[in-house]
Amino acid sequence: QVQLVESGGGSVQPGGSLRLSCAASGSIFGISDMRWYRQAPGKQRELVASITSGGSTNYVDSVKGRFTISRDNTKNTMYLQMNSLKLEDTAVYYCNVVARLSGSRWWNDYWGQGTQVTVSS
């Protein structure tokens, strides 16, 4: 199995910044896409940002220009730098990766446990 450990969540005032990390561990052969999702109370989980193994990125419109997704393939770790945070960014943020285990032919989705981000004044 792949274990995903998220960190970096917390509380911040509007306009502030946070940096989330997601570290993958286990008998990993490879990781392709890595993604950050978020889920606010009473809302559906939404895809916030994604990054391919080659470094191509995509963002939901509401975070473009404020959030930056990146990854360190040598550490199997993904980051989300969140700047100019707004009240509506408050949510639980989940990391999601598509990975293949050593000895397996299959690529599967794996999820982190989530980390709370609260933006309040």
Side-chain angles (χ1 to χ4, degrees):
Q1 290 295 317
V2 174
Q3 293 78 42
L4 300 176
V5 177
E6 298 152 348
S7 60
S11 296
V12 64
Q13 292 184 335
S17 298
L18 286 172
R19 187 189 193 213
L20 305 183
S21 299
C22 173
S25 62
S27 299
I28 299 171
F29 173 83
I31 298 177
S32 60
D33 291 357
M34 304 183 82
R35 311 175 185 113
W36 286 101
Y37 285 80
R38 68 185 178 187
Q39 187 166 20
K43 294 188 176 182
Q44 289 188 334
R45 189 172 297 189
E46 70 168 346
L47 177 62
V48 176
S50 64
I51 184 167
T52 67
S53 57
S56 296
T57 59
N58 275 293
Y59 300 91
V60 67
D61 285 347
S62 59
V63 308
K64 285 181 180 177
R66 301 188 297 121
F67 290 11
T68 302
I69 189 172
S70 61
R71 62 192 284 173
D72 184 338
N73 292 328
T74 66
K75 297 180 180 179
N76 286 339
T77 300
M78 170 178 63
Y79 307 95
L80 186 67
Q81 178 66 45
M82 305 185 293
N83 298 329
S84 302
L85 282 161
K86 302 177 180 180
L87 296 175
E88 53 264 39
D89 294 318
T90 295
V92 177
Y93 285 70
Y94 298 89
C95 69
N96 165 253
V97 305
V98 179
R100 177 179 163 184
L101 296 174
S102 299
S104 172
R105 296 188 301 168
W106 310 109
W107 295 83
N108 293 297
D109 268 309
Y110 297 91
W111 290 86
Q113 79 285 357
T115 186
Q116 177 70 47
V117 171
T118 301
V119 184
S120 68
S121 54

